[in-house]
């Protein structure tokens, strides 16, 4: 099978191995089986909503990318966003010099950058599917939707289903979700096709404005809005104003009292500008086992509503 390729260069510290280890412990993305050397995934590219298979391996100063069809700047930008290589990270490590707690996370997992969903659309669907469910169960439901409704991509001699594009789920029923969640997914599909639920649109807005716009979408609460903006669109400098799980992680890390108000967490995050998303990601990743040995990612649930 013909493959097409390009390279991406990292500005600032970056560890592909750290990214790969994170993905292997994070079921939300539906990455394909790993051999410990390559990140493989198949998705509907936001650029044209056509399916594509991608294989990423380490390369000097960045990564080498092989794809199952020709690519232009749009898809190259998408892969860069997925690995947070579209942002100059040179200043991120310096934040740890002023913040010893964050600095310790840098030390434990140097070069780890946020790994994003393949698209904001897929992140939004995941946010709805996982609500009041475990990550493991949600990942199985997401996979079944891909198998029933998605196209197939052949990668390394094997055929894999791809999570369907918005137009496919616009009028779809029988997704294996409660009726309310299925209605939310259809609403998200309309938003994606209208250009609202896209990387270009969300990152054109100030983070606070983008979060407010996302919270107006069906089925999207504060946690989901932050997930879509930060881990979907890859916005590097956003901080959700109300995320109890992240607040709990920060309380433990900084020794804060139980009754610490949300404004105090926002104040803490001000010191992380312009990498508030990246710093928050490192703290969340520490609970996934990507930064230290604590497990639990597959037991996490979200509870926006």
């Amino acid at each position: 099978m013909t493959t097409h390729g390009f390279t991406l260069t990292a500005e600032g510290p970056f560890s592909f191995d750290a990214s790969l280890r994170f993905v292997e412990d994070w079921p939300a993305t539906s990455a394909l089986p790993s051999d410990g050397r390559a990140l493989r995934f198949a998705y509907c590219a936001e650029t044209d909503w056509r399916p594509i298979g991608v294989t990423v391996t380490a390369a000097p100063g960045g990564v080498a990318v092989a794809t199952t069809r020709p690519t232009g700047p749009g898809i190259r930008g998408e892969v860069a966003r997925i690995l947070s290589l579209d942002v100059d990270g040179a200043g991120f490590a310096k934040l740890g010099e002023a913040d010893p707690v964050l600095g310790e996370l840098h030390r434990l997992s140097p070069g780890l950058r946020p790994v994003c969903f393949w698209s904001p659309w897929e992140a939004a669907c995941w946010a709805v599917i996982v609500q009041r469910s475990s990550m493991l169960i949600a990942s199985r439901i997401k996979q079944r939707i891909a198998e029933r409704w998605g196209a197939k991509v052949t990668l390394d001699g094997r055929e894999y289903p791809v999570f369907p594009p918005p137009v496919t789920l616009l009028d779809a029923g029988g997704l294996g979700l409660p009726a309310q969640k299925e209605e939310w997914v259809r609403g998200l599909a309309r938003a994606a096709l209208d250009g609202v639920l896209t990387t270009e649109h969300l990152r054109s807005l100030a983070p606070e404005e983008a979060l407010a716009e996302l919270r107006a979408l069906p089925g999207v609460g504060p946690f989901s809005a932050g997930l879509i903006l930060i881990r979907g669109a890859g916005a590097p400098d956003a901080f959700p104003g109300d995320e109890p799980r992240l607040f709990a992680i920060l309380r433990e890390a900084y020794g804060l009292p139980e009754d610490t108000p949300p404004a105090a967490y926002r104040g803490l995050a001000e010191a992380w500008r312009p990498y508030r998303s990246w710093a928050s990601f490192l703290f969340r990743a520490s609970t996934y086992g990507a930064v230290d040995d604590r497990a639990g990612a597959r037991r996490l649930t979200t509870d926006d509503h």
Side-chain angles (χ1 to χ4, degrees):
M1 181 182 65
T2 302
T3 59
H4 310 268
F6 58 91
T7 60
L8 296 170
T9 301
E11 298 288 342
F14 169 70
S15 170
F16 174 71
D17 288 342
S19 298
L20 184 57
R21 288 195 302 271
F22 175 81
V23 172
E24 289 172 345
D25 287 334
W26 188 44
T29 56
S30 301
L32 304 181
S34 171
D35 58 5
R37 296 187 301 273
L39 169 61
R40 297 179 177 85
F41 54 95
Y43 76 112
C44 283
E46 189 178 20
T47 303
D48 55 14
W49 296 121
R50 291 169 53 208
I52 186 170
V54 180
T55 301
V56 185
T57 54
V63 297
V65 182
T67 61
T68 56
R69 61 180 173 91
T71 61
I75 291 178
R76 294 175 190 177
E78 289 182 19
V79 177
R81 170 190 54 78
I82 288 165
L83 295 172
S84 292
L85 291 176
D86 59 339
V87 176
D88 185 342
F92 185 45
K94 296 179 181 178
L95 295 180
E97 298 173 6
D99 184 335
V101 178
L102 182 59
E104 177 66 6
L105 293 184
H106 282 305
R107 187 189 67 79
L108 290 170
S109 192
L112 176 62
R113 297 187 181 197
V115 182
C116 298
F117 285 85
W118 317 143
S119 67
W121 151 249
E122 198 161 336
C125 289
W126 169 260
V128 165
I129 293 168
V130 79
Q131 283 180 33
R132 301 179 184 269
S133 177
S134 74
M135 290 182 76
L136 183 59
I137 292 173
S139 66
R140 290 172 177 167
I141 294 173
K142 183 169 177 278
Q143 180 66 15
R144 286 199 295 268
I145 292 173
E147 290 170 353
R148 178 175 178 184
W149 298 97
K152 303 293 192 300
V153 166
T154 300
L155 192 62
D156 296 334
R158 293 187 59 185
E159 195 174 68
Y160 298 98
V162 175
F163 192 80
V167 67
T168 301
L169 298 188
L170 190 60
D171 298 310
L175 300 180
L177 295 168
Q180 178 65 83
K181 285 189 176 184
E182 294 201 0
E183 182 58 36
W184 287 341
V185 168
R186 288 189 285 272
L188 294 174
R190 287 190 287 273
L193 293 172
D194 288 343
V196 175
L197 196 57
T198 64
T199 299
E200 181 179 11
H201 174 69
L202 293 174
R203 287 180 63 166
S204 72
L205 305 174
E208 292 74 18
E209 185 180 352
L211 289 169
E213 193 167 292
L214 286 167
R215 286 195 295 269
L217 296 178
V220 177
F223 175 86
S224 296
L227 177 78
I228 297 165
L229 180 62
I230 295 171
R231 302 294 296 286
D237 189 37
F239 186 77
D242 184 15
E243 190 177 322
R245 183 171 294 109
L246 176 59
F247 292 174
I249 295 169
L250 296 177
R251 278 199 305 274
E252 180 180 351
Y254 288 91
L256 302 174
E258 189 72 26
D259 60 352
T260 299
Y265 299 106
R266 291 192 291 270
L268 179 68
E270 285 296 307
W272 303 337
R273 287 180 180 269
Y275 301 101
R276 288 178 296 169
S277 300
W278 287 27
S280 299
F281 168 79
L282 280 190
F283 282 105
R284 293 190 192 93
S286 70
T287 69
Y288 294 167
V291 172
D292 60 23
D293 291 331
R294 287 177 292 172
R298 291 173 175 81
R299 294 190 299 272
L300 295 181
T301 63
T302 62
D303 195 16
D304 261 342
H305 300 275

